[in-house]
Amino acid sequence: MTDQTIQIPRQVTTDSFRTMMSGFPTGVCVVTTTDSAGTPRGMTCSSVCSVSLEPPILLVCLRSGSPTLDGVLRSGSFAVNLLHEGAQAAAELFASGNPHRFQIHPWEETPGAAGPHLVKDAHTIADCDVVLTQEVGDHVTVFGEARRISERNPYPPLLYGLRQFRTWSTT
């Protein structure tokens, strides 16, 4: 019998968890909505996932206390703008917290939309109605049923991983 040292795993820190998750590349979107005063709200989000085909449900995870989350909860709807490879500037702006983002970046208010559409930056936009929310840690998971999907631009998606933006490569 050999003497084996048992390694006790160290406690997971915010930094170690963030580093681990940065190694899992994902698509990038901007979640948009309007608040109760009709003011557009939006934030960059990489936590988006399909949940169900019947009915068509997706989820987004939004930071607790964000004006975007507040608008989504109050309006009961949101738009998911899936960004294309040329939309890194939009992703960075909507991640920055700049309160004037909708004054300096083009968007459209489409009739029947669940939130502002970033038509020049999105390859596809899904308008969703909130069907369920779940608070988890410092975020709220919002489940939305897609009521309309608009394909906008034929460009490949913008990706994010290892703390860098990248484009989809076919080579």
Side-chain angles (χ1 to χ4, degrees):
M1 180 173 238
T2 62
D3 188 0
Q4 294 182 355
T5 304
I6 298 175
Q7 294 282 331
I8 309 271
R10 64 184 179 132
Q11 186 173 0
V12 175
T13 65
T14 302
D15 287 339
S16 66
F17 188 71
R18 183 178 288 127
T19 298
M20 180 195 80
M21 291 309 298
S22 76
F24 186 70
T26 184
V28 182
C29 74
V30 173
V31 174
T32 59
T33 191
T34 53
D35 66 15
S36 56
T39 304
R41 302 288 183 194
M43 63 187 285
T44 300
C45 179
S46 60
S47 299
V48 61
C49 172
S50 64
V51 174
S52 167
L53 292 175
E54 290 292 329
I57 305 280
L58 58 78
L59 67 79
V60 296
C61 297
L62 305 176
R63 182 179 43 81
S64 295
S66 74
T68 302
L69 174 61
D70 184 61
V72 167
L73 297 177
R74 290 180 186 275
S75 70
S77 63
F78 59 97
V80 176
N81 296 266
L82 300 177
L83 301 185
H84 63 66
E85 65 183 1
Q88 180 176 338
E92 290 171 341
L93 174 64
F94 282 87
S96 73
N98 183 327
H100 306 293
R101 61 190 84 166
F102 284 100
Q103 287 78 39
I104 60 178
H105 196 80
W107 58 280
E108 290 183 8
E109 189 171 7
T110 306
H117 285 190
L118 305 180
V119 296
K120 292 182 180 178
D121 301 297
H123 64 80
T124 307
I125 302 169
D127 291 298
C128 303
D129 293 322
V130 175
V131 294
L132 179 69
T133 61
Q134 177 66 52
E135 187 173 345
V136 180
D138 58 1
H139 279 65
V140 174
T141 303
V142 181
F143 294 83
E145 182 171 356
R147 60 174 147 99
R148 179 172 68 178
I149 295 175
S150 307
E151 293 185 25
R152 305 299 303 186
N153 296 299
Y155 306 117
L158 181 64
L159 304 175
Y160 189 76
L162 299 175
R163 298 185 178 112
Q164 300 172 32
F165 290 99
R166 291 285 190 248
T167 60
W168 190 277
S169 175
T170 58
T171 59

